[in-house]
Amino acid sequence: MPYFDAASSAPLHPVAREALLASLDEGWADPARLYREGRRGRLLLDAAREAAAEAVGCRPDELVFTPSGTQAVHLGVAGALAARRRVGRRLLHSAVEHSCVLHAAEVHEAAGGTRAELAVDRTGRVAAGDVAAALTPDTALVALQSANHEVGTEQPVEEAAGLCRESGVPLLVDAAQSLPWGPVPGDWSLLAASAHKWGGPPGVGLLVVRKGTRFAPQGPADERESGRSPGFENIPAIVASVASLRALRADAGTATEAARLRQLVNRIRTRVPALVPEVEVVGDPVHRLPHLVTFSCLYVDGETLLHELDRAGFSVSSGSSCTSSTLAPSHVLRAMGVLSEGNVRVSLPYGTKEADVDRFLEVLPGVVRSVRERLGVPSVTAEAPEAGSAAEADEAPRTAAGAGSEDLVVDSLGRRCPIPVIELAKVIGKVPVGGTVTVLSDDEAARQDIPAWCTMREQEYLGERAAERGAAYVVRRRV
Amino acid sequence: MPYFDAASSAPLHPVAREALLASLDEGWADPARLYREGRRGRLLLDAAREAAAEAVGCRPDELVFTPSGTQAVHLGVAGALAARRRVGRRLLHSAVEHSCVLHAAEVHEAAGGTRAELAVDRTGRVAAGDVAAALTPDTALVALQSANHEVGTEQPVEEAAGLCRESGVPLLVDAAQSLPWGPVPGDWSLLAASAHKWGGPPGVGLLVVRKGTRFAPQGPADERESGRSPGFENIPAIVASVASLRALRADAGTATEAARLRQLVNRIRTRVPALVPEVEVVGDPVHRLPHLVTFSCLYVDGETLLHELDRAGFSVSSGSSCTSSTLAPSHVLRAMGVLSEGNVRVSLPYGTKEADVDRFLEVLPGVVRSVRERLGVPSVTAEAPEAGSAAEADEAPRTAAGAGSEDLVVDSLGRRCPIPVIELAKVIGKVPVGGTVTVLSDDEAARQDIPAWCTMREQEYLGERAAERGAAYVVRRRV
């Protein structure tokens, strides 16, 4: 039963398990106490800090353990911003940061700070030049992830760090996704990461604040972890987490495994568009995490797709709105301007078997086909996807009364992703080239997916206008 | 090697260890995911929440897990205060709350809120009448611990909860110390606790917000744990913690063990003053935790005492300033107005052997004697402590020039606890009854320990006045 969602959480590494067991008996006491049980805990904690610092590439006294990667980001953003309050209150971050960064930014904004977003291109990558241009004198902090959690695109962190240093602005790197694969290069100022992404147990994050970086911890005081992370130290889990990170790095294991998984991901990147019609593989093809690939399938309901893949034995994730409770598609896919419907993220854990990837590639086309069939999408082929091929569908779209053949109106109000796009595809062939189709929809995903569909199908997206309910999206037939 | 510091952290319960091992393989995935690994995690988490709620005496949807007891308090105080901001911004708490409550209160004050302290009597107990009197209309929240972490005194939480309900003010109970021994009675509104105090692993706290209690989570948003505790859920540790709590409660085990430990603590409470001269047992003799007893030894350096007890095989804790890095004696002992020097807290873990307690009672007198000898305190006896018996010491105190025999001045500037008190004791016999001794000291502990010594030795404390360095403490000889 292959688990392909390492980017959410990796299974516990066997070395972490062993280390956890051993340290449960040695690391339960308060390391601030001077009796033997406390001293033993302190020794374990100090040793773990040294080893973690070595793996991260920092000094031990620059690194504190937090209860999660989320809290590492929250604490880091708040502490860095507060320390630079007199310089300025502007937080600059990429549009594709993890939600924990965005939520920390919201708190900053609610308290009177300002924020600005760095846009990304269609691969999800920030241009270093944009960072340079955005570094105003009142910028207190820049937050840039090392690699994106949804599409795997690596950011130009090293270059951004250099630019930030030149301007005297600290750079905080959310390294949650990349740290399992190696240290983050460059002269960044703060770094956050999460141990359960690299096979450590839950309950451990880490926050690095490099010497010389001004930092003012926020929230209630607590003397533990240099005053930067409140709460009783979770020594057994910390020891286990660091053991796992060390094990990954030992004997160049990380590099070898990264290369192997990169091959498997390449296979998915190449084969999926050949095997499944109407698919868009998203994310940077070169600057990317070794183990992660994301693609979106037109005319597919993401929740059903994930459910069917689960039934077929594959655990994957999705940034589709139809799999989330928020109804809004992933902000990452939105910022990239790519299709969100039928979105699948595959992230291979260490040790993933080649045969499992091949089996996934065998199973996927049939699963997508069956979901599309259930949604009434006529058969589409990978080899020659043809615009408007859905027009011959039996079920006539609900077109508004009075619409002429030059300009059709499709009423998709009250219908959720992927129905609006399916209905658009069904009728586009009914208007002549140059004619328009207007889709009425109150599904938030349509705003993203109709333009993305136009790009994929080489139709012209004319824009949206407000409607009595939802919005009217206008598409001109070009092919 | 007996460990007598359960109030800091209890060794991992064997049941917790087993549950942790089992859930490491089942509970590492993201419980928000819909695939099988996620669903498995969700099931474990839901079951743990139900069991924890049953042990606490609340509904499962009222209880969230946090990464520590400290964070449970921080999150609970902030969320309750924010929700009642329009009613008022006054936080009322006892003078002997855990530092995590006080630190949360400091943040509240820094943000423009106000706070008021409920005083305690010499046993460390708040009077319920004082709670009633202090409940002003603008009181947003009352924080009262169920039992004190340093001296074991139980607070009148049930009564306070009733008074708070009548006034419509929520009561937050820090139950970290008492929850291992049973649910907190009464109609409180919020409750916080910490699993490593009851034999769970580190990394788990719990926060209960009873239905009908207004609550507005502060800090960056996070959808996990009902939006009340940010960060990836630590399912294995949560499962282990709840297993341990259930095990303690099973078959009335808690009550039986509590009764047994209460007997052992009674033995310490009775025997220590008989075996060790010049000792004050502090805390309420009746309303107290079953497993915890605290006493202070005159003329003893707390750090050395703990060190010597550790060498003799006993791990205990202390609220003495001389064992802490802050140089300030415990705020709890200060609020009680009792001696802080030579302070020892004994807190027996579940299953403590009677023989170990007896051995402690055998060892303690010799250890205290040797520490006193090293400090130049002449022999004192438990049976007939005699005021001024130290006066015959060989080493003459450094008395200020020009001091007459009626009124002596002792210069203890630059000397740390317990020296100022030792020097006072050495010279008190040199002035006639009615004469005074003035102690010059810049040690913060003197402010607390000189009045406490006067109470113990039935001398009259006249007060302090400012001096060029530190303060001058004036004592009149009465006996």
Side-chain angles (χ1 to χ4, degrees), chain A residues 1-3 5 8-12 17 20-21 24-25 27-30 33-37 39 67-68 70-71 74 103-104 107 196 202-203 219-222 224 230-236 303 310 313-318 345, chain B residues 1-3 5 8-12 17 20-21 24-25 27-30 33-37 39 67-68 70-71 74 103-104 107 196 202-203 219-222 224 230-236 303 310 313-318 345:
Chain A
M1 301 288 275
Y3 173 81
D5 197 21
S8 280
S9 190
L12 193 70
R17 191 188 169 91
L20 184 62
L21 287 187
L24 282 172
D25 298 328
W28 52 269
D30 185 346
R33 301 291 178 194
L34 299 177
Y35 44 67
R36 62 192 173 283
E37 294 87 353
R39 295 194 305 267
S68 63
T70 296
Q71 289 209 16
H74 292 172
H103 290 318
V107 167
H196 75 98
D222 191 297
R224 288 166 286 201
F232 189 74
E233 298 91 340
N234 191 347
I235 295 177
E303 186 160 357
D310 177 46
F314 295 94
S315 299
V316 296
S317 173
S318 173
R345 177 184 72 183
Chain B
M1 303 288 275
Y3 173 81
D5 197 20
S8 281
S9 191
L12 193 70
R17 190 187 169 91
L20 185 63
L21 287 186
L24 281 173
D25 298 327
W28 51 268
D30 184 346
R33 301 291 177 193
L34 299 176
Y35 44 67
R36 63 193 172 283
E37 294 87 352
R39 294 193 306 268
S68 63
T70 296
Q71 288 208 17
H74 291 172
H103 291 317
V107 167
H196 74 99
D222 191 298
R224 289 167 284 203
F232 189 74
E233 298 91 340
N234 191 347
I235 295 177
E303 187 161 356
D310 176 47
F314 295 94
S315 299
V316 297
S317 173
S318 173
R345 176 184 72 182

Side-chain angles (χ1 to χ4, degrees), chain B residues 77-119:
Chain B
V77 169
L81 285 171
R84 300 212 357 124
R85 179 184 279 260
R86 280 189 296 180
V87 176
R89 302 200 61 192
R90 183 166 173 270
L91 168 63
L92 184 64
H93 61 79
S94 87
V96 295
E97 294 300 305
H98 190 273
S99 59
C100 65
V101 174
L102 303 184
H103 291 317
E106 284 157 15
V107 167
H108 174 63
E109 215 172 7
T114 61
R115 57 194 277 205
E117 261 188 19
L118 292 160

Side-chain angles (χ1 to χ4, degrees), chain B residues 166-255:
Chain B
E166 274 171 37
S167 301
V169 177
L171 174 70
L172 181 147
V173 180
D174 169 10
Q177 289 298 335
S178 78
L179 202 65
W181 306 101
V184 175
D187 198 10
W188 42 265
S189 296
L190 301 104
L191 180 143
S194 174
H196 74 99
K197 309 282 192 195
W198 69 64
V204 181
L206 51 87
L207 171 63
V208 179
V209 181
R210 277 200 170 139
K211 286 288 154 197
T213 305
R214 278 196 274 173
F215 195 78
Q218 298 301 289
D222 191 298
E223 76 271 18
R224 289 167 284 203
E225 291 300 289
S226 308
R228 291 179 179 167
S229 179
F232 189 74
E233 298 91 340
N234 191 347
I235 295 177
I238 287 170
V239 169
S241 296
V242 175
S244 168
L245 189 57
R246 286 185 67 143
L248 296 189
R249 296 285 159 80
D251 310 322
T254 305

Side-chain angles (χ1 to χ4, degrees), chain A residues 35 45 52 56-58 99 103 147 159 165 182 208 214 218 226 235 244 269 276 290-291 299 314 375 425 429 466 475:
Chain A
Y35 44 67
L45 185 57
V56 169
C58 67
S99 59
H103 290 318
E159 221 177 327
R165 281 282 168 197
V208 179
R214 279 195 273 173
Q218 298 301 289
S226 309
I235 295 177
S244 168
R269 290 184 71 92
V276 181
H291 69 309
Y299 320 132
F314 295 94
L375 286 165
V475 175

Side-chain angles (χ1 to χ4, degrees), chain A residues 445-462:
Chain A
R447 175 161 293 125
Q448 176 170 349
D449 287 340
I450 289 175
W453 178 88
C454 291
T455 305
M456 288 176 71
R457 306 303 305 264
E458 297 178 351
Q459 306 293 357
E460 186 178 6
Y461 179 62
L462 297 178

Side-chain angles (χ1 to χ4, degrees), chain B residues 57-70:
Chain B
C58 68
R59 291 165 41 157
D61 59 352
E62 295 172 333
L63 184 149
V64 300
F65 295 105
T66 68
S68 63
T70 296

